[in-house]
C-alpha cells in the first residue's frame, strides 16, 4: 500500500473531479486523484468499433455551456457541429412516420397551440428561478409537491400536448417517468439550460461535439496534471475525517490530505464508509437523489443513407420505443452513425429481453422512422451505464417528488473538510459536463480560499478558470 500526503485528495476522475484537481494544481496545491475505474472520464467514455467512433456517454455541448467552453479553450480543444441538414421525422400516435421541417411537431394546430402554452408557462417559471437555489423559487414548495405529469395536465387538457412537452424533460433529460419527479425539478432542468425554449430546441441543446470526443477532455486534463497524480483502479471505500483533514483509503493508495473533494454521483455517496459517520442531514438527503435510466443506442451503417433521402437523421416519437434519434457520425468518418435513446420504463422492458430479441426490437424501432435500411447496421451497441458499478444509471441523478426544496439546500454544504462536487449538484449545466466543470472549479475555489485564509466569492459561477479570477478569490 502506497501512502501519500497532499493538500487535497479528489475522489473520482470524471470531469468534475479532474477539473477540481486541475485548478488546485494550477494554484500550487498538491493533489492526488483516486479513481475506481481503469480509465478517466466517468460518464464520458469513447470506443472505436469497426472504425466508427462511438461516444458511449456524454458528448454534446450547447452554446450556453460556457464553463465547459472555457475549459476546452484553455486546453486547445476544438468542437464541430452536429449534422443538422435536412428534414426531421415524427412518429405519430398511429405509428406513421411524418416528415417535417421547422420547430413545431406535425400535429393538429390546437395541439401545437397547447404545446406552446405549456412551453411558455415553463419559460416563465424558469425565468423566476436561480438554478443554484431552486428551493428559493417563489412557488418552490407548491411546484415540488406536484408531479410534472400532473402539473402538465393541470394546465392543459390536450393529452398529446402534455405527452410531447413531457418528453423533453422526462424521457429526454431526467430519464424518469414524469410521474416520479416534481414540476420544480422540471423547472430546474429548464432554468439550468437558460430556458425551456433552449431545452426543446435540439439544434441548441445538442449543438456541437468535441474534436477528440468528450472523454478526450478528461484525458487531456489528466495528461496536463502529469505523472503521480491520478491513480486508477483505486475505489475509495473508506474516508476518515477530522478537524485537520482526511485519510482516503483507495485500493492500493491511501492519501492523507487537508481537504477532500468527493466528485462522484450522489447515488454513490453511501458506497463510501465515512469515519465518523456523516451528519443526520446528509444521511437523509443522500437517500433522495437517484439515477435515471436510459439506453443510448448506437447503430453504424456503411453510409449515412438518410442524408441521401434529404433527412437529417433527427427523429422524435413521444410514444415510440426509441423516443429520439440523431445522426451521430463522427467528424471525418464516411460511415453513418445513428444514436437513439430508450428511456425509463421502456428501457426496463428492453433489458428483460434476450440479446437477439432486444436487438430486433430496437432496430425495428429505428426502422419505424427511417425505413428498412436501418435494420442491418454493421455495428450495434447499447450503452449500459446502469450495469456499471461506479455509475448505476444514466444520465444523472435527480430528487424524488418533494425532495428538491426539502433536501436541496443541504446538497452543496461542505462537511468539515469534505466537499461534494458533480454535475448532479450544479445549477447552470445541471446534469451536463458543463455543470461538472463549473462545480469542480467552484469546489477548488472554496478550498483554495479556505487553505489560504481568504474569502470565497459566493457569486463565482465556475465559468472562468481560477488563474483568471485568482485576484477575486483572494480579495
Ligand atoms: P462522473 O460520473 O462522470 O465521474 C465520477 C467518477 O467517480 C467516475 O469516474 C467514477 O468511476 C468515479 N467513482 C465513483 N465512485 C468512486 C469511489 N468510491 N472511489 C473512486 N472513484 C469513484 N452530458 C453532456 O453535457 N452532454 C451529453 O450529451 C450527455 N449525454 C450523456 C449520455 C450518457 C449515456 C450519460 C451516462 C451521461 C451523459 N451526460 C451528458 C452527462 C455527463 O456525462 C455527466 O453529467 C458528467 O460526466 C458528470 O461528471 P462528474 O464528474 O460529475 O461525474
Amino acid at each position: 500500500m502506497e501512502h501519500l500526503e497532499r493538500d487535497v485528495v479528489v475522489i473520482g476522475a470524471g470531469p468534475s473531479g479532474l477539473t477540481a484537481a486541475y485548478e488546485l494544481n494550477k494554484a500550487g496545491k498538491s493533489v492526488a486523484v483516486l479513481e475506481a475505474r481503469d480509465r478517466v472520464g466517468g460518464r464520458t467514455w469513447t470506443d472505436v468499433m469497426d472504425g466508427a467512433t462511438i461516444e458511449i456517454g456524454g458528448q454534446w455541448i450547447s452554446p450556453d455551456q460556457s464553463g465547459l467552453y472555457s475549459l476546452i479553450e484553455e486546453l486547445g480543444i476544438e468542437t464541430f457541429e452536429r449534422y443538422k441538414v435536412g428534414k426531421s421525422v415524427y412518429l405519430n400516435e398511429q405509428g406513421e412516420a411524418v416528415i417535417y421541417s421547422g420547430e413545431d411537431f406535425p400535429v393538429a394546430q390546437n395541439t401545437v397551440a397547447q404545446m406552446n402554452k405549456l412551453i411558455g408557462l415553463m419559460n416563465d417559471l424558469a425565468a423566476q428561478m436561480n438554478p443554484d437555489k431552486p428551493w428559493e423559487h417563489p412557488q418552490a414548495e407548491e411546484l415540488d409537491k406536484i408531479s410534472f405529469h400532473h402539473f402538465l395536465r393541470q394546465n392543459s387538457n390536450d393529452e398529446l400536448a402534455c405527452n410531447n412537452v413531457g418528453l423533453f424533460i422526462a424521457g429526454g433529460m431526467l430519464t424518469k417517468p414524469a410521474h416520479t419527479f416534481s414540476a420544480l425539478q422540471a423547472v430546474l432542468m429548464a432554468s439550468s439550460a437558460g430556458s425551456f425554449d433552449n431545452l426543446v430546441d435540439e439544434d441548441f441543446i445538442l449543438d456541437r461535439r468535441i474534436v477528440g470526443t468528450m472523454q478526450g477532455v478528461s484525458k487531456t486534463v489528466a495528461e496536463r496534471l502529469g505523472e503521480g497524480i491520478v491513480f486508477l483502479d483505486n475505489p475509495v471505500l473508506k474516508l476518515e475525517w477530522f478537524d485537520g483533514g482526511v485519510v482516503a483509503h483507495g485500493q492500493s493508495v491511501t492519501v492523507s490530505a487537508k481537504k477532500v473533494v468527493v466528485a462522484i454521483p450522489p447515488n454513490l455517496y453511501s458506497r463510501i464508509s465515512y469515519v465518523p459517520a456523516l451528519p443526520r442531514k446528509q444521511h437523509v438527503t443522500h437517500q433522495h437523489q437517484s439515477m435515471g435510466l436510459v439506453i443510448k443506442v448506437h447503430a453504424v451503417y456503411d453510409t449515412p443513407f438518410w442524408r441521401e433521402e434529404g433527412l437529417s437523421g433527427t427523429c422524435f416519437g413521444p410514444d415510440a420505443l426509441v423516443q429520439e434519434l440523431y445522426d451521430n457520425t463522427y467528424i471525418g468518418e464516411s460511415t453513418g452513425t445513428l444514436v437513439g435513446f430508450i428511456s425509463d420504463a421502456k428501457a426496463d422492458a428492453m433489458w428483460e429481453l434476450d440479446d437477439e430479441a432486444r436487438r430486433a426490437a430496437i432496430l425495428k424501432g429505428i426502422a419505424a422512422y427511417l425505413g428498412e435500411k436501418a435494420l442491418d447496421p454493421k455495428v450495434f451497441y447499447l450503452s449500459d451505464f446502469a450495469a456499471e458499478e461506479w455509475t448505476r444509471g444514466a444520465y444523472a441523478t435527480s430528487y424524488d417528488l418533494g425532495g428538491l426544496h426539502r433536501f436541496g439546500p443541504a446538497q452543496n454544504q461542505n462537511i468539515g473538510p469534505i466537499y461534494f462536487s458533480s454535475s448532479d449538484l450544479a445549477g447552470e449545466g445541471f446534469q451536463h459536463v458543463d455543470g461538472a466543470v463549473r462545480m469542480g472549479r467552484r469546489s477548488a475555489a472554496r478550498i483554495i480560499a479556505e487553505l489560504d485564509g481568504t474569502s470565497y466569492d459566493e457569486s463565482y459561477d465556475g465559468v472562468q478558470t481560477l488563474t483568471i479570477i485568482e485576484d477575486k478569490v483572494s480579495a
Side-chain angles (χ1 to χ4, degrees):
M1 178 70 78
E2 190 177 353
H3 185 80
L4 305 170
E5 305 225 345
R6 299 286 162 93
D7 290 323
V8 184
V9 57
V10 177
I11 302 175
S16 199
L18 285 171
T19 306
Y22 186 43
E23 295 295 347
L24 288 159
N25 182 265
K26 283 192 294 176
K29 309 298 174 199
S30 58
V31 283
V33 183
L34 299 184
E35 165 56 46
R37 288 177 160 104
D38 62 0
R39 61 170 182 83
V40 300
R43 279 170 274 174
T44 65
W45 185 18
T46 311
D47 205 350
V48 176
M49 299 177 194
D50 206 354
T53 304
I54 303 291
E55 298 218 51
I56 300 167
Q59 60 167 74
W60 284 297
I61 177 169
S62 56
D64 60 323
Q65 296 185 335
S66 33
L68 176 55
Y69 262 114
S70 80
L71 176 63
I72 60 174
E73 197 179 317
E74 187 181 357
L75 298 173
I77 291 175
E78 301 204 332
T79 61
F80 66 96
E81 195 176 3
R82 179 175 68 85
Y83 187 81
K84 300 170 186 162
V85 183
K87 294 189 173 168
S88 308
V89 180
Y90 176 82
L91 209 60
N92 67 18
E93 283 174 301
Q94 291 72 42
E96 298 156 349
V98 183
I99 294 173
Y100 74 104
S101 48
E103 286 174 10
D104 296 331
F105 285 164
V107 290
Q109 271 312 307
N110 185 45
T111 298
V112 171
Q114 287 294 312
M115 283 179 67
N116 288 335
K117 180 186 132 187
L118 290 170
I119 290 168
L121 184 60
M122 291 300 288
N123 276 333
D124 292 345
L125 289 168
Q128 294 166 356
M129 180 181 275
N130 168 0
D132 277 339
K133 295 183 177 166
W135 41 88
E136 290 183 0
H137 188 281
Q139 290 164 259
E141 189 170 344
E142 182 190 333
L143 291 170
D144 212 23
K145 282 180 175 168
I146 182 166
S147 75
F148 188 46
H149 174 97
H150 289 103
F151 171 84
L152 292 170
R153 280 147 189 88
Q154 209 175 51
N155 288 288
S156 171
N157 55 13
D158 186 318
E159 187 59 22
L160 185 57
C162 294
N163 253 348
N164 282 348
V165 171
L167 167 83
F168 293 115
I169 300 256
M173 287 285 162
L174 300 181
T175 61
K176 293 177 172 178
H179 59 267
T180 64
F181 60 86
S182 73
L184 186 69
Q185 185 75 71
V187 176
L188 169 59
M189 194 73 243
S191 161
S192 74
S195 68
F196 200 86
D197 275 339
N198 286 345
L199 274 190
V200 303
D201 179 0
E202 73 278 3
D203 288 348
F204 180 91
I205 201 76
L206 311 179
D207 181 31
R208 299 183 75 81
R209 296 178 58 189
I210 305 282
V211 176
T213 78
M214 194 65 99
Q215 189 196 9
V217 177
S218 288
K219 286 181 171 173
T220 307
V221 174
E223 273 166 30
R224 291 267 179 112
L225 282 168
E227 292 290 309
I229 291 191
V230 181
F231 297 86
L232 302 177
D233 298 311
N234 261 285
V236 173
L237 301 181
K238 182 176 164 191
L239 181 67
E240 295 174 79
W241 59 287
F242 36 88
D243 263 358
V246 297
V247 183
H249 297 262
Q251 184 97 339
S252 61
V253 181
T254 59
V255 186
S256 298
K258 294 172 195 151
K259 306 278 179 196
V260 60
V261 181
V262 178
I264 67 179
N267 62 310
L268 296 182
Y269 290 160
S270 63
R271 277 295 262 127
I272 299 175
S273 177
Y274 303 83
V275 183
L278 291 177
R280 177 189 302 106
K281 192 180 263 185
Q282 277 63 36
H283 274 172
V284 177
T285 297
H286 296 168
Q287 293 182 57
H288 291 272
Q289 286 161 292
S290 59
M291 274 274 170
L293 173 66
V294 67
I295 304 173
K296 186 172 179 183
V297 180
H298 312 264
V300 181
Y301 304 86
D302 287 327
T303 59
F305 61 85
W306 51 94
R307 293 185 188 177
E308 291 146 25
E309 294 160 21
L311 299 176
S312 61
T314 301
C315 307
F316 294 104
D319 291 323
L321 174 66
V322 181
Q323 71 204 9
E324 303 163 72
L325 195 65
Y326 304 98
D327 184 324
N328 209 32
T329 310
Y330 186 71
I331 187 169
E333 289 179 356
S334 58
T335 48
T337 301
L338 290 172
V339 68
F341 295 92
I342 302 173
S343 185
D344 56 80
K346 288 175 186 145
D348 295 341
M350 285 299 104
W351 292 125
E352 292 297 316
L353 302 175
D354 64 39
D355 288 355
E356 205 180 319
R358 186 184 310 117
R359 177 187 163 109
I362 294 173
L363 288 173
K364 197 173 155 209
I366 297 178
Y369 294 106
L370 295 176
E372 295 212 336
K373 286 183 191 162
L375 289 173
D376 193 22
K378 58 184 209 154
V379 173
F380 178 77
Y381 179 80
L382 304 180
S383 298
D384 185 12
F385 275 89
E388 297 257 330
E389 182 178 9
W390 303 109
T391 302
R392 303 184 180 199
Y395 311 107
T397 65
S398 48
Y399 283 98
D400 51 19
L401 195 63
L404 180 57
H405 88 284
R406 184 175 162 204
F407 304 112
Q411 70 182 15
N412 280 324
Q413 286 170 4
N414 62 301
I415 308 302
I418 306 174
Y419 293 72
F420 296 100
S421 183
S422 76
S423 70
D424 314 64
L425 305 179
E428 283 169 271
F430 170 56
Q431 294 212 344
H432 286 82
V433 176
D434 175 61
V437 169
R438 288 171 186 250
M439 287 302 297
R441 285 182 173 157
R442 292 167 99 174
S443 304
R446 289 169 71 196
I447 288 174
I448 291 165
E450 272 284 320
L451 292 179
D452 292 351
T454 54
S455 62
Y456 169 67
D457 180 354
E458 290 289 341
S459 68
Y460 174 49
D461 57 7
V463 168
Q464 294 172 321
T465 74
L466 293 177
T467 41
I468 294 172
I469 65 139
E470 214 166 74
D471 293 345
K472 204 172 167 191
V473 168
S474 55

